[in-house]
Amino acid sequence: METFLYHLLEQELAGKRQRRIERLTRQSHLPEGKTLSTFDQKRLPLRVRRMLPQLCRGELIDRAENILIFGLPGTGKTHLAAALGHEWIAANRSVLFVPTYKLVSRLLRAKRDYELEHELRRLDRFHVVILDDIGYVQQSREEMEVLFTFLAERYERRSVVITSNLVFSEWNQIFKDPLTTAAAIDRVVHHSLIVEFGSDITSYRAEEATRRNREKGEPDEVTGQ
Ligand code: ADP
Ligand code: MG
């Protein structure tokens, strides 16, 4: 009887956990299928590959640390960020995945309606916000200001993950004036892990296309072989 009750309880708890993960996944807007199991880890810098199990556990989130992922287009920045997001949800943390331009327009709208504070508080409920493609912001002064406010607001309290194909020296394209750029970089870098997909890592999209063409017996688009 006791073991029966024990199993019942265990099932109940497992069900509860499953439903929580499903709810967190729905709310996260993470791209489906971009998980660690579909991610080729050999493409990660060795240092990061070694750290991966530790990163997935999510303790860095409890310490409000950030992850900054840099690399050329197609090197796997978004996939890696999303894969970590899925892992963190499994580790019971709440995650929001959002293209930067979308977040910015959402914040702008809120500001115009005098609801910026409210919107920031709503975003605060997420342990991690993954800002995908910070380089693609349309940069009016107002847009850059709300983005800066968002980052400053989370600083040392909540984690952000940022993907970008702009290296720091190009971030003045995002934040316009040098002081704001320096202040933004300062805040996101302070407690952060930087992952760089080096220039030796070619675009995964391009590689895939080459492989498909080879399989079809067609010449490589780039090399013609
Ligand atoms: P980025 O954000 O750097 O432009 P993505 O993450 O969008 O690149 O990757 C481009 C495509 O290649 C996506 O379909 C992604 O799933 C795939 N991809 C990239 N890196 C890997 C990898 N290491 N393993 C498996 N698929 C990958
Ligand atoms: Mg991307």
Side-chain angles (χ1 to χ4, degrees), residues 74 76-79 132-133 163 205:
K77 302 181 296 294
T78 300
H79 194 143
D132 195 34
D133 259 327
T163 78
R205 292 188 192 99

Side-chain angles (χ1 to χ4, degrees), residues 190-216:
H190 188 188
H191 309 280
S192 73
L193 168 73
I194 296 179
V195 180
E196 262 172 299
F197 288 106
S199 48
D200 54 323
I201 296 183
T202 50
S203 162
Y204 195 88
R205 292 188 192 99
E207 235 170 59
E208 279 276 283
T210 309
R211 196 179 49 73
R212 276 198 306 273
N213 280 342
R214 284 228 183 88
E215 280 166 8
K216 281 188 291 183

